[in-house]
Amino acid sequence: MPLKLLTTEYNGPELAAKLRENWLSGFATDKSERVLCASLEIIRWLASLLAESGLPLPNCSPSDIPLHLVLADIPDLQAADDKAKLMIRNAIRDSIHVLDYDQDLFCTLEGDYMIHKFWSLPNNLIYNSMEWRAVDDIVFPRYGYIHQIAKKGLFHGIKDPEDLARTVEERLNAHEENGGTTHHIQNPPTFIRFEWKRDENRGALCPGDFSMFDVEIRDAYVEDKLLTHSIVRASYRLVCIAKRWNKDEKPIAAHFYMSDGRSFFPQDDGELSQYWSCDNSGEYYLVYQKSDETRDSRPRSPDLSHRIQHPKSISGGEDEASNDSDDPSHQDTSRSSSPSLQLATRPKAQTRISLRHHPYRYSL
């Protein structure tokens, strides 16, 4: 009998609170399982933030074992009977096989399974699956594969805080390729992911260094046969940072942050330590959530350097829905999936073109 899904009984604030109530790592029996559970707990945390914001969660069937485990009603470790413990541990072992797992954080979080099941949600895509392609004076729509767009939501090679906004803006703004210009229809995603390589020669971090960044990108749309641009501004706040462990290192828990910067400490997190510093060199996985705040108005910044206390868990939420698609022909036609999107139209940013609807679909 599969574990009960929380999404079948709860939504909104209740769902977010339930997802944050109990965690997987305490049920792990060895290092390999602890690494997997720590990775799946990151997706569980992000799912709770989606529920809190009233955004869609992925569809899940009993055959989707890793995702089913992420969204399952995990019992309290101390109160669970032997039958419940065995069921969860079997699901953990089954997830290892489904994920083609290699004891690596990125293998779980950025592998094909999570790309298809989680990062391909419309609100997680970095831009719309349809874009405008301009070649000479002809503009036509081109369609991309959802799976490939979802992969582009991970940004590599970040070394300094200044790199965050710059790398996002460079990828999302119009760019030249193959003798023409590609203009994206912007859909600032709920989450943006980064691989951060911490340089051992870099000085100590200040609490606010990586806490938040703002982006300003050009949205493209056609109006009255004009290729028109408007400015889309969005702010992002750090909600998760995890260290990519070497296979000879002891796994550690991810640091989670609420949307206002407060730390969240999962209970019953097994042998995973919350007390670690990212001042050391290494590779880190950062996840940012779109925020209604701007950088200048943020009330607090998460401290990335250390943990000194263990408060009770914090919970909250709003509404829940479901959506999932990896169809190459699928396109998200909404202008934005978040109420925090701000548009500032600039009528002068228009280029007169002849519009032609191209009958073919192109792979990005």
Side-chain angles (χ1 to χ4, degrees):
M1 182 178 178
L3 294 165
K4 182 176 67 174
L5 280 175
L6 288 170
T7 51
T8 61
E9 295 188 18
Y10 303 97
N11 56 45
E14 286 186 295
L15 177 58
K18 283 291 184 180
L19 286 168
R20 297 167 183 173
E21 197 170 87
N22 296 309
W23 299 82
L24 286 169
S25 294
F27 293 91
T29 58
D30 58 30
K31 178 181 176 181
S32 176
E33 291 182 4
R34 280 192 286 274
V35 173
L36 174 69
C37 289
S39 303
L40 293 179
E41 285 179 348
I42 292 175
I43 300 296
R44 188 175 177 93
W45 172 247
L46 300 180
S48 78
L49 294 174
L50 288 177
E52 188 173 62
S53 301
L55 293 171
L57 271 70
N59 288 324
C60 182
S61 66
S63 61
D64 296 324
I65 299 173
L67 192 59
H68 197 98
L69 193 55
V70 165
L71 301 176
D73 187 2
I74 305 297
D76 179 85
L77 179 63
Q78 306 304 321
D81 57 26
D82 291 341
K83 182 179 179 181
K85 290 179 180 178
L86 179 62
M87 188 181 302
I88 293 171
R89 286 167 180 160
N90 285 340
I92 291 172
R93 296 185 184 106
D94 289 342
S95 295
I96 290 176
H97 298 295
V98 172
L99 292 169
D100 192 22
Y101 175 65
D102 191 32
Q103 296 190 41
D104 182 75
L105 181 81
F106 277 37
C107 178
T108 305
L109 297 174
E110 296 295 334
D112 285 341
Y113 180 89
M114 283 302 171
I115 291 291
H116 174 63
K117 294 294 181 180
F118 189 76
W119 299 119
S120 291
L121 290 173
N123 51 281
N124 286 338
L125 297 177
I126 59 171
Y127 46 73
N128 197 294
S129 59
M130 190 191 90
E131 62 191 13
W132 292 108
R133 181 86 174 124
V135 180
D136 297 326
D137 63 343
I138 301 298
V139 173
F140 53 90
R142 184 173 69 169
Y143 297 83
Y145 289 104
I146 298 295
H147 193 84
Q148 294 300 321
I149 298 173
K151 284 185 174 181
K152 291 182 179 180
L154 173 66
F155 294 80
H156 299 274
I158 302 299
K159 295 183 179 180
D160 293 293
E162 295 78 13
D163 294 339
L164 296 172
R166 178 182 56 78
T167 53
V168 173
E169 290 173 350
E170 285 178 354
R171 183 170 298 180
L172 298 191
N173 280 318
H175 57 275
E176 302 290 329
E177 60 172 350
N178 301 325
T181 305
T182 299
H183 303 263
H184 294 300
I185 299 174
Q186 303 296 350
N187 181 39
T190 303
F191 301 116
I192 296 181
R193 301 103 69 197
F194 294 92
E195 179 191 32
W196 171 37
K197 294 184 178 181
R198 177 75 162 89
D199 189 342
E200 61 182 5
N201 296 321
R202 193 185 191 280
L205 288 171
C206 295
D209 276 357
F210 279 86
S211 64
M212 199 169 185
F213 68 93
D214 302 325
V215 293
E216 184 173 296
I217 48 183
R218 298 184 71 190
D219 188 21
Y221 58 97
V222 169
E223 189 174 79
D224 297 330
K225 295 188 178 181
L226 292 176
L227 179 60
T228 305
H229 296 92
S230 62
I231 300 300
V232 176
R233 297 181 178 90
S235 296
Y236 285 87
R237 176 179 285 281
L238 183 70
V239 291
C240 171
I241 181 169
K243 191 176 189 298
R244 189 175 191 175
W245 317 282
N246 295 321
K247 292 188 177 181
D248 58 345
E249 289 182 321
K250 183 178 180 180
I252 54 178
H255 286 178
F256 297 147
Y257 304 99
M258 304 290 286
S259 57
D260 63 358
R262 290 176 294 163
S263 294
F264 174 88
F265 294 82
Q267 305 298 311
D268 295 325
D269 220 11
E271 298 180 16
L272 298 179
S273 174
Q274 281 278 353
Y275 303 93
W276 56 272
S277 169
C278 60
D279 272 337
N280 298 321
S281 61
E283 292 184 40
Y284 296 85
Y285 185 75
L286 287 70
V287 184
Y288 288 78
Q289 182 184 22
K290 189 160 60 163
S291 170
D292 290 329
E293 306 168 73
T294 61
R295 186 177 178 88
D296 293 337
S297 66
R298 65 179 185 269
R300 67 183 74 192
S301 298
D303 187 348
L304 308 185
S305 60
H306 61 279
R307 295 281 173 107
I308 59 175
Q309 56 182 344
H310 197 291
K312 293 182 179 179
S313 296
I314 307 165
S315 61
E318 248 181 42
D319 191 15
E320 182 270 329
S322 62
N323 204 333
D324 182 38
S325 173
D326 194 37
D327 183 354
S329 65
H330 169 75
Q331 59 169 306
D332 178 13
T333 57
S334 64
R335 299 295 298 172
S336 169
S337 59
S338 168
S340 64
L341 177 66
Q342 300 176 25
L343 292 177
T345 58
R346 293 186 177 180
K348 293 183 180 180
Q350 297 179 340
T351 305
R352 185 169 296 279
I353 50 91
S354 58
L355 178 66
R356 182 183 68 188
H357 290 287
H358 204 284
Y360 300 105
R361 295 179 184 270
Y362 292 79
S363 171
L364 290 178

